[in-house]
């Protein structure tokens, strides 16, 4: 009886420490999961929006061309300007996937940073960016 | 959303996806294999989003693949529209 009481107390404390530790770990991970989920939503919306804009923009170029040569040149010019945007989308998705696999502060910050860069690139081309009130933290609305 | 409800949605999406793919493959207006790839990627993207929008490598591949397919389809369509305008086959008002 006298030996079992301290043992019980130790086991109880160990369980308590484990529970508290687990809660701390969950609390530490949860904000990142929310950030990543929001970033994913914003990125998918941006991808859909850019895709729709791209289709309309190319249609406008093709329909507004005065000659076949001018239309071909205008389409090629646009597609050259579009290349960095597509590269930025690829980078944003890949850094987001890396952050999801390993949600460290650095990886999450990097993912949000690439989305911010993508946003700048998309807007500089004249396309729009989704106006989502639940936009990813770290990416200015 | 419960696990059962999510699973049901996924099965429904898969069935609709297979139906869509079979329609595209059987379609007399099918022009290139790119259209089939585009349809398949769009289905994968929809399934991935229905699965809860989790950020996983598969989900990323589906999104990137769908975007690439869509862009390639837009390029091809714009080239066709442009050529049609100047070879007399364009009847767009």
């Amino acid at each position: 009886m006298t030996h079992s009481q301290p043992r019980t107390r130790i086991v109880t404390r160990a369980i308590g420490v484990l529970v508290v530790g687990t809660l701390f770990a969950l609390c530490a991970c949860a904000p990142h999961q929310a950030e990543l989920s929001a970033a994913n939503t914003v990125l998918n919306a941006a991808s859909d929006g850019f895709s729709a804009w791209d289709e309309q923009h190319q249609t406008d170029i093709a329909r507004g061309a005065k000659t076949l040569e001018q239309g071909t040149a205008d389409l090629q010019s646009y597609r050259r300007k579009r290349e960095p945007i597509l590269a930025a989308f690829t980078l944003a998705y890949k850094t987001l996937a890396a952050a999801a696999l390993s949600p460290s502060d650095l990886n999450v910050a990097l993912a949000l940073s690439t989305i911010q860069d993508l946003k700048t690139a998309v807007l500089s081309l004249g396309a729009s960016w989704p106006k989502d009130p639940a936009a990813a933290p770290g990416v200015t609305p | 959303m419960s696990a059962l409800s999510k699973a049901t949605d996924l099965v429904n999406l898969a069935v609709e996806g297979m139906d869509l793919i079979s329609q595209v493959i059987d379609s007399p207006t099918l022009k290139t294999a790119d259209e089939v790839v585009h349809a398949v990627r769009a289905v994968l993207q929809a399934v991935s989003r229905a699965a809860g929008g989790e950020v996983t490598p598969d989900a990323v591949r589906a999104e990137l693949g769908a975007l690439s397919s869509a862009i390639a389809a837009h390029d091809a369509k714009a080239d066709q529209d442009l050529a049609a305008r100047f070879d007399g086959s364009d009847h767009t008002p």
Side-chain angles (χ1 to χ4, degrees), chain A residues 51-112:
Chain A
S51 177
W53 182 86
D54 175 76
E55 182 174 25
Q56 187 59 52
H57 191 64
Q58 294 208 65
T59 300
D60 290 346
I61 291 174
R63 289 189 181 160
K66 299 279 188 286
T67 65
L68 179 62
E69 291 72 24
Q70 183 229 323
T72 303
D74 287 349
L75 282 174
Q76 285 176 350
S77 170
Y78 163 68
R79 289 168 189 168
R80 273 194 300 274
K81 288 179 192 163
R82 189 188 61 189
E83 280 174 15
I85 310 289
L86 299 181
F89 266 111
T90 303
L91 186 62
Y93 272 119
K94 288 190 171 174
T95 53
L96 191 60
L101 286 172
S102 176
S104 66
D105 289 348
L106 181 65
N107 282 348
V108 172
L110 186 63
L112 295 177

Side-chain angles (χ1 to χ4, degrees), chain B:
Chain B
M1 182 183 280
S2 72
L4 181 62
S5 158
K6 190 181 280 188
T8 306
D9 284 349
L10 283 174
V11 170
N12 286 336
L13 265 173
V15 171
E16 285 172 19
M18 290 309 295
D19 189 42
L20 173 65
I21 290 166
S22 65
Q23 281 177 27
V24 170
I25 290 172
D26 291 342
S27 167
T29 58
L30 178 66
K31 294 176 186 67
T32 64
D34 284 348
E35 288 183 13
V36 178
V37 172
H38 180 53
V40 172
R41 281 179 167 167
V43 170
L44 286 175
Q45 181 190 31
V47 168
S48 167
R49 288 184 180 186
E54 286 181 32
V55 189
T56 64
D58 282 345
V60 168
R61 268 194 290 273
E63 294 292 344
L64 269 178
L67 178 62
S68 302
S69 285
I71 295 293
H74 300 165
D75 289 0
K77 182 174 171 291
D79 289 340
Q80 281 176 5
D81 286 352
L82 183 65
R85 279 200 62 210
F86 295 99
D87 69 6
S89 62
D90 179 25
H91 303 295
T92 307

